Amino acid sequence: MKIYNTLSRRKEEFVPLQDGQVSMYVCGPTVYNLIHIGNARPMIVFDTVRRYMEHKGYTVNYVSNFTDVDDKIIKKANEEGVDASVISERYIEECKKDMKALNVKPATVHPKATEEIDGMIEMIRTLIDKGHAYVAEDGTVYFKTRSFRDYGKLSHKNLDDLRSGGRSLLVSGEDQKQDPLDFVLWKPKKEGEPYWESPWCEGRPGWHIECSVMSKKYLGEEIDIHAGGEDLIFPHHENEIAQSEAANGREFAKYWMHNAFLNIDNRKMSKSAGNFFTVRDISEKYDLQVLRFFMLSAHYRSPLNFSAELMEAARNGLDRITGCVGNLNYLAERAAAAEMSEEEQALAQEAARYVDKFDEAMDDDMNTADAISAIFELVKFANTHADENSSRAFLAALKEEIVMLSDICGLIVEKQEEILDGQIEELIRERQEARKAKNFARADEIRELLASQGVVLEDTREGVKWKWA
Ligand code: AMP
Ligand code: ZN
């Protein structure tokens, strides 16, 4: 399996640090608003990377953070006259709903910056002790960029070029920097802002330190894959490398993966430019499976322009697959023979070629565009060879392959029974009764059924509470 590594700027053979295991960290959103479909691109892309790795037999430890302390969150909190945590909690919940609707699997861990402050203070202390950071008079702690020899290795920038553009790196209020290239690790509180105690001043962390700390805590000092949108390469990921490698004294991440932008009218979709659609907006017009299909119809490193025409094409593409699966199910219910004929066995082997084709595309730096073409070829093959005379086994084999490949893309192409919010409460009641009757097998079964749908149960003193994973 080859992956394009931003660090080396070439495709490299993927060799995990530990056999059979993949550790992956994906920078998540800042939660002050509903996510837009540009934010959804990395979520969908890297969820698909994860699913493909799992299909290959790896156990994937997938960590994705929520940045829940930030100027924009604080601004919104002040506008609404509430605590910053009210805003961030609200939008974390909303983001999880969107992820579920996009069939993005919950991460193994979704850490939040505000719950990891101790770890951040510890890493900043290490950086100061090792001479990589200093404390300014007002208590701000800066990373001394020039003290890290490899600075610029990810973004392929050199320090002198950065220095000539250094003025633009001077941010107002950060005038106590020794060098314009230095960046903030910890900053003093301002009136009306949340703050934490620290050895330097009451304040809050800079943005970059959280990912270095959470990645280390949940995945270890060295990880396989670090990922995010390409706007994060500089300065965010460059700074993460500087912090982590200076503090830990070893390589931070082996492979760096970055998705290109989702554009609209050939401009990056962003909250600040105001040219965005939220996932929620799109869900009013389309099934979100269509959005997922649209995102995967392009290679993740190619810019993708959002348009109604491409969404229509995505809808038609998805319909072709779901239509074929529906037809295979219809035929299977009415099939005459159960077992495959010899001719069918030969055809089933031929069909397996498309699975190989799919894998080849994904092995080539996760080329989902070609992988989806392989699914289409398989669909065409199924439409050509399946009919009223086919055996149930042959129809099932074709369907299973189509469903399996679609599932790697996170595309649901077979109608499933959905659990609705009302049913969740009903199932929880049934579980309580089963427990009362000491029917623990049934109680566990219900817990697992709910877990498979992303519902986590918590037994509290006030009774059972549930939330989306
Ligand atoms: P943010 O909330 O801006 O920190 O973004 C969260 C994630 O979404 C990051 O990985 C960004 O790189 C990514 N992202 C933001 N806008 C876009 C876009 N228009 N296209 C692709 N990725 C984006
Ligand atoms: Zn990050």
Side-chain angles (χ1 to χ4, degrees):
M1 188 196 303
K2 286 202 159 61
I3 284 183
Y4 180 90
N5 191 349
T6 309
L7 203 54
S8 63
R9 299 221 169 147
R10 24 179 209 90
K11 287 183 195 168
E12 293 177 21
E13 189 61 34
F14 178 72
V15 184
L17 292 163
Q18 276 183 51
D19 260 2
Q21 308 255 349
V22 179
S23 50
M24 213 172 154
Y25 186 98
V26 182
C27 292
T30 306
V31 278
Y32 66 100
N33 225 326
L34 290 175
I35 58 163
H36 61 68
I37 58 176
N39 300 132
R41 190 170 189 192
M43 287 177 185
I44 292 168
V45 161
F46 298 115
D47 176 63
T48 306
V49 171
R50 170 196 191 167
R51 285 168 180 268
Y52 185 62
M53 298 272 187
E54 286 174 345
H55 160 73
K56 286 280 211 177
Y58 291 108
T59 304
V60 183
N61 208 350
Y62 190 100
V63 177
S64 190
N65 63 309
F66 287 115
T67 299
D68 63 345
V69 55
D70 163 272
D71 289 343
K72 295 181 219 107
I73 299 173
I74 295 167
K75 183 166 172 267
K76 180 127 183 173
N78 290 340
E79 280 164 13
E80 287 192 23
V82 295
D83 217 55
S85 62
V86 173
I87 301 294
S88 57
E89 284 304 319
R90 182 194 305 157
Y91 290 109
I92 286 172
E93 283 313 304
E94 297 300 337
C95 179
K96 284 185 176 173
K97 282 186 204 159
D98 287 338
M99 284 169 65
K100 184 171 159 33
L102 290 165
N103 204 23
V104 168
K105 286 191 188 189
T108 320
V109 192
H110 276 295
K112 298 174 202 162
T114 54
E115 291 174 3
E116 308 289 343
I117 302 288
D118 289 349
M120 297 190 222
I121 290 176
E122 199 182 307
M123 190 176 276
I124 296 170
R125 206 198 299 261
T126 306
L127 289 169
I128 296 172
D129 290 348
K130 290 192 169 182
H132 289 293
Y134 57 92
V135 190
E137 240 168 70
D138 66 352
T140 308
V141 187
Y142 291 103
F143 186 89
K144 202 190 272 188
T145 300
R146 279 181 191 282
S147 73
F148 181 66
R149 230 185 12 185
D150 282 343
Y151 195 83
K153 71 175 173 181
L154 181 71
S155 53
H156 301 253
K157 292 183 190 293
N158 87 38
L159 284 179
D160 294 323
D161 291 349
L162 282 173
R163 206 171 94 98
S164 59
R167 269 171 211 279
S168 60
L169 294 168
L170 273 175
V171 177
S172 74
E174 294 185 6
D175 34 14
Q176 298 189 7
K177 283 182 183 183
Q178 292 172 1
D179 183 328
L181 297 176
D182 297 346
F183 60 88
V184 171
L185 297 171
W186 187 267
K187 56 185 167 193
K189 67 172 181 190
K190 288 196 201 123
E191 194 53 38
E193 289 188 356
Y195 66 90
W196 289 264
E197 299 292 334
S198 84
W200 316 290
C201 62
E202 288 177 337
R204 62 186 170 101
W207 170 35
H208 315 295
I209 193 73
E210 69 180 78
C211 292
S212 285
V213 167
M214 297 180 199
S215 178
K216 177 175 174 171
K217 175 167 171 188
Y218 296 102
L219 297 170
E221 287 184 347
E222 197 174 351
I223 68 168
D224 291 302
I225 301 174
H226 197 115
E230 67 181 6
D231 52 338
L232 299 186
I233 297 173
F234 186 85
H236 185 53
H237 287 165
E238 198 66 67
N239 291 356
E240 282 187 36
I241 291 179
Q243 295 163 159
S244 294
E245 300 194 358
N248 306 331
R250 56 196 285 195
E251 185 172 40
F252 178 35
K254 230 175 141 183
Y255 304 91
W256 287 85
M257 295 179 80
H258 293 99
N259 64 274
F261 291 144
L262 176 79
N263 293 330
I264 190 155
D265 299 327
N266 297 310
R267 275 178 56 221
K268 181 194 173 195
M269 184 176 285
S270 76
K271 279 176 203 155
S272 53
N275 60 345
F276 65 89
F277 291 112
T278 62
V279 170
R280 233 33 90 75
D281 294 334
I282 298 302
S283 73
E284 283 168 15
K285 271 197 160 170
Y286 299 91
D287 181 337
L288 288 177
Q289 287 290 297
V290 174
L291 182 64
R292 182 157 183 140
F293 186 98
F294 159 76
M295 293 280 186
L296 296 177
S297 62
H299 188 270
Y300 75 94
R301 285 191 294 113
S302 304
L304 178 58
N305 211 35
F306 180 81
S307 71
E309 292 76 36
L310 287 178
M311 286 294 283
E312 277 317 309
R315 184 180 350 230
N316 291 336
L318 191 60
D319 282 351
R320 247 156 85 195
I321 307 175
T322 50
C324 175
V325 169
N327 189 41
L328 291 171
N329 277 337
Y330 176 86
L331 291 172
E333 275 171 29
R334 291 159 183 78
E339 302 303 323
M340 279 195 226
S341 66
E342 258 175 48
E343 191 196 343
E344 284 179 334
Q345 283 175 16
L347 283 170
Q349 278 194 348
E350 221 180 293
R353 270 203 335 238
Y354 301 109
V355 178
D356 294 342
K357 231 173 156 174
F358 178 96
D359 279 12
E360 272 164 39
M362 292 300 277
D363 282 342
D364 183 16
D365 189 30
M366 307 291 163
N367 192 335
T368 51
D370 286 359
I372 286 177
S373 299
I375 301 181
F376 280 147
E377 286 179 56
L378 179 56
V379 162
K380 193 168 162 207
F381 182 90
N383 289 342
T384 310
H385 296 287
D387 57 33
E388 305 75 48
N389 303 316
S390 305
S391 70
R392 208 166 299 137
F394 179 63
L395 296 164
L398 289 174
K399 186 194 85 176
E400 272 163 29
E401 276 175 1
I402 296 171
V403 170
M404 174 190 75
L405 298 185
S406 304
D407 184 57
I408 296 171
C409 298
L411 296 169
I412 301 165
V413 292
E414 190 174 22
K415 286 268 161 284
Q416 290 175 329
E417 275 188 53
E418 277 261 340
I419 294 190
L420 304 170
D421 284 15
Q423 286 173 289
I424 296 173
E425 307 284 346
E426 189 56 42
L427 281 163
I428 291 174
R429 255 194 303 281
E430 195 192 328
R431 176 171 165 267
Q432 290 301 83
E433 268 156 36
R435 289 205 324 177
K436 248 189 247 156
K438 299 221 178 324
N439 183 356
F440 297 113
R442 178 64 188 150
D444 287 348
E445 197 177 273
I446 293 173
R447 178 187 277 275
E448 270 158 36
L449 171 66
L450 289 168
S452 73
Q453 304 284 319
V455 176
V456 184
L457 300 183
E458 249 178 286
D459 293 307
T460 71
R461 240 179 285 159
E462 296 92 57
V464 180
K465 295 207 169 127
W466 69 270
K467 58 177 189 186
W468 295 115

